[in-house]
């Protein structure tokens, strides 16, 4: 008989689990509280710019092998677009200095030995100084493992780790930073090509997954928020969606809970989860990028940290953006546009814009919060956890989300 699995939450982790299990011929039922799949990784039409925008600019790297395998499994790997080799243009808007970090396309970090491809004014010894991150224990702070000053820090390590951890790097988890460094900088240019869903996050990473699930006969239920579990005999016995809407779970059926940390903690009392979160600020400007503008530019010395060029749109990202949450929107838009003009070499009045401030974009990637991440297995035999906040060994990223979904799906498969 076909086995049944209920997946709660249609973010990337829930979708990854659902796709894997549907491909393994499970009868999948996906339950999503909102009217749209994608969670923190989604697109929508924005009236202010008259464009379809993403809630946030999402960068993947070619070494994100689970995320790429997920895209391949839903037929959209080609929608993740990037340069042939791992090149990252940077600009310091305080001095106007521009440089290209060129990691090449090798499987080894050979770029480190070529002065012309390193960050300007840095030497091999500076990079060797990062090695303590690679073997740092989970309880160590980045600031205790490496020097958080100097040219290499300001021009590469700080922007990279801030984007990856979403906290000011010195207070971040050296264990998580080390995982990022191992899987990117140390894995050579071939693992570092920047990839962007140019046609939008939903078009590339979300809608094709939902379509695949429907084609395979899965039930995809939007506006279907789980209110609680009914446990019996050490298992989930029923899912309660409010009122009379209850679904009985047969003894061989499984449940994957792929909701964010806060709802997970209230759905499963006693579950240990991260409790502190950080914001990410994105702004989108309706503006045709100059033809030669790189798809992504690292920006040093301003409010803006990364500048993205999309068709008809310039867009920026600021990590750990909690300090900007209460800044008046118009004032923030003006300040960001000034940075965009300097970084992108463009001029003009403030074009139509939108600012998206995701307050709880990621859990705070500090050692203290990292220690609160649970694994995928719960105290209930047929209930598994997924989500970027579970113990994936990575900061909150798409790669971590897909890994968690894959892991939960594998545990369901192992129940056979
Ligand atoms: C602005 C921003 C920028 C980012 N940039 C990057 C980046 O550049 N690169 C990168 O790799 N990652 C980035 N991330 C992180 C990435 O988006 C997340 O790690 C990932 O999307 C999390 O997926 P998830 O499935 O774990 O959780 P979520 O996306 O939060 O999905 C959980 C889903 O569960 C649903 N849900 C909640 N409660 C219930 C309930 N009771 N019943 C049913 N459904 C429920 C929610 O509605 C949601 O759809 C960024 C995140 C943000 C917000």
């Amino acid at each position: 008989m076909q086995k049944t699995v209920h997946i709660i939450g249609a973010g990337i982790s829930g979708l990854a689990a659902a796709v894997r299990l549907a491909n393994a011929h499970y009868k999948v039922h996906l339950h999503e509280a909102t009217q749209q799949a994608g969670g923190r990784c989604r697109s929508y039409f924005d009236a202010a710019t008259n464009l379809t925008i993403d809630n946030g600019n999402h960068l993947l790297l070619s070494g994100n092998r689970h995320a790429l395998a997920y895209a391949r499994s839903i037929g959209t790997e080609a929608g993740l677009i990037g340069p042939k080799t791992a090149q990252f243009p940077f600009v310091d808007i305080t001095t106007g200095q521009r440089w290209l970090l060129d990691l090449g396309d090798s499987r080894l970090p050979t770029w480190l030995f070529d002065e012309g491809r390193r960050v300007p004014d840095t030497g091999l010894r500076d990079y060797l100084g990062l090695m303590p991150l690679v073997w740092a224990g989970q309880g160590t702070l980045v600031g205790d493992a490496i020097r958080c000053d100097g040219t290499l820090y300001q021009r590469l390590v700080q922007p990279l780790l801030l984007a990856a951890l979403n906290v000011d790097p010195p207070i971040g988890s050296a264990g998580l930073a080390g995982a990022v460094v191992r899987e990117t900088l140390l894995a050579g240019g071939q693992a570092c090509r920047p990839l962007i869903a140019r046609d939008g996050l939903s078009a590339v990473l979300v809608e094709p997954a939902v379509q695949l699930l429907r084609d395979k006969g899965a039930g995809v239920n939007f506006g279907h928020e789980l209110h609680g579990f009914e446990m019996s005999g050490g298992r989930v016995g029923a899912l309660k969606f409010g009122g009379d809407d209850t679904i009985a779970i047969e003894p061989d059926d499984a449940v994957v809970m792929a909701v964010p940390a806060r709802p997970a903690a209230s759905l499963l009392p006693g579950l240990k989860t991260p409790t502190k979160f950080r914001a990410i600020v994105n702004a989108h400007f309706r503006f045709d990028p100059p033809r030669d503008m790189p798809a992504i530019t690292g920006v040093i010395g301003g409010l803006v940290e990364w500048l993205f060029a999309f068709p008809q749109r310039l867009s920026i990202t600021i990590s750990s953006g909690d300090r900007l949450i209460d800044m008046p929107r118009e004032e923030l838009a003006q300040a960001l546009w000034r940075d965009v003009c300097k970084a992108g070499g463009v001029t003009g009045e403030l074009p139509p814009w939108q600012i998206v401030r995701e307050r709880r974009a990621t859990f705070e990637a500090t050692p203290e919060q990292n220690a609160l991440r649970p694994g995928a297995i719960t105290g209930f035999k047929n209930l598994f956890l997924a989500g970027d906040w579970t113990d994936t060994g990575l900061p909150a990223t798409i790669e971590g989300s897909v890994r968690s979904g894959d892991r939960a799906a594998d545990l369901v498969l192992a129940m056979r």
Side-chain angles (χ1 to χ4, degrees):
M1 204 179 78
Q2 198 182 22
K3 302 236 170 130
T4 298
V5 59
H6 291 267
I7 294 171
I8 317 299
I12 296 294
S13 61
L15 290 172
V19 166
R20 204 169 177 94
L21 289 165
N23 282 336
H25 309 295
Y26 269 65
K27 175 75 186 158
V28 171
H29 295 276
L30 185 58
H31 307 278
E32 165 56 44
T34 68
Q35 296 299 332
Q36 187 185 353
R40 279 169 282 153
C41 176
R42 68 190 187 285
S43 318
Y44 51 89
F45 177 74
D46 169 58
T49 53
N50 202 23
L51 293 169
T52 295
I53 61 173
D54 294 331
N55 68 313
N57 300 310
H58 279 61
L59 181 70
L60 286 169
L61 295 176
S62 47
N64 292 160
R65 51 198 168 81
H66 285 249
L68 263 55
Y70 164 74
R72 203 173 310 130
S73 75
I74 58 171
T76 58
E77 196 182 9
L80 294 170
I81 296 179
K84 289 212 164 47
T85 66
Q87 294 189 331
F88 293 84
F90 275 88
V91 58
D92 182 335
I93 58 173
T94 57
T95 60
Q97 187 183 5
R98 290 179 187 271
W99 65 92
L100 185 71
L101 178 70
D102 181 3
L103 309 186
D105 61 356
S106 164
R107 283 181 189 278
L108 293 169
T110 49
W111 60 277
L112 285 172
F113 302 97
D114 182 344
E115 195 185 341
R117 289 164 57 192
R118 293 196 294 253
V119 174
D121 309 320
T122 62
L124 185 57
R125 192 193 280 251
D126 297 320
Y127 297 83
L128 293 177
L130 301 179
M131 290 309 283
L133 278 185
V134 175
W135 52 74
Q138 291 298 337
T140 310
L141 294 172
V142 170
D144 289 339
I146 59 166
R147 277 187 54 191
C148 291
D149 56 17
T151 306
L152 181 65
Y153 179 75
Q154 273 149 19
R155 292 182 170 178
L156 178 63
V157 178
Q158 197 270 355
L160 175 78
L161 294 187
L162 177 60
L165 301 177
N166 201 25
V167 292
D168 193 22
I171 64 154
S173 154
L176 293 176
V180 172
V181 170
R182 269 195 307 278
E183 295 191 15
T184 57
L185 292 182
L186 275 186
Q190 207 168 80
C192 298
R193 284 194 308 114
L195 300 173
I196 291 168
R198 200 179 54 196
D199 295 332
L201 293 171
S202 289
V204 177
L205 293 174
V206 178
E207 280 154 17
V210 172
Q211 190 56 48
L212 180 145
L213 291 171
R214 287 199 163 121
D215 291 348
K216 289 194 176 280
V220 182
N221 310 292
F222 291 116
H224 209 213
E225 179 179 350
L226 184 71
H227 288 195
F229 294 104
E230 202 173 280
M231 303 302 187
S232 69
R235 316 173 80 91
V236 177
L239 300 175
K240 298 188 287 182
F241 292 93
D244 302 340
D245 189 359
T246 297
I247 297 177
I249 303 295
E250 300 300 324
D252 284 346
D253 294 352
V255 178
V256 174
M257 179 164 71
V259 305
R262 279 161 43 109
S266 62
L267 285 167
L268 205 58
L271 179 68
K272 200 172 66 164
T273 67
T275 51
K276 293 183 184 164
F277 304 88
R278 288 291 172 114
I280 298 182
V281 175
N282 278 260
H284 308 272
F285 300 96
R286 191 187 171 104
F287 191 92
D288 286 322
R291 286 179 71 88
D292 58 350
M293 187 184 267
I296 171 165
T297 304
V299 185
I300 311 289
L303 265 182
V304 166
E305 291 160 2
W306 298 94
L307 170 62
F308 293 78
F310 290 100
Q312 294 182 281
R313 174 162 62 98
L314 292 177
S315 195
I316 67 93
T317 297
I318 301 168
S319 295
S320 192
D322 304 71
R323 68 196 184 283
L324 304 174
I325 289 290
D326 297 324
M327 185 165 169
R329 286 167 57 77
E330 177 79 30
E331 193 185 317
L332 182 56
Q334 291 285 1
L336 296 175
W337 179 244
R338 280 194 294 276
D339 278 9
V340 170
C341 289
K342 286 186 210 158
V346 300
T347 52
E349 291 295 302
L350 178 64
W353 55 273
Q354 182 58 275
I355 290 175
V356 187
R357 296 184 266 207
E358 289 265 5
R359 281 172 186 268
R360 278 185 284 275
T362 71
F363 73 90
E364 202 178 82
T366 56
E368 176 216 10
Q369 292 294 306
N370 190 39
L372 297 173
R373 300 167 81 186
I377 296 174
T378 68
F380 302 94
K381 286 193 192 86
N382 60 346
L383 175 63
F384 304 99
L385 303 178
D388 61 356
W389 55 274
T390 60
D391 187 12
T392 64
L394 292 175
T397 52
I398 293 181
E399 175 67 7
S401 304
V402 175
R403 280 190 203 184
S404 75
D406 287 351
R407 165 98 178 115
D410 288 344
L411 288 166
V412 171
L413 293 171
M415 275 177 63
R416 268 188 239 256

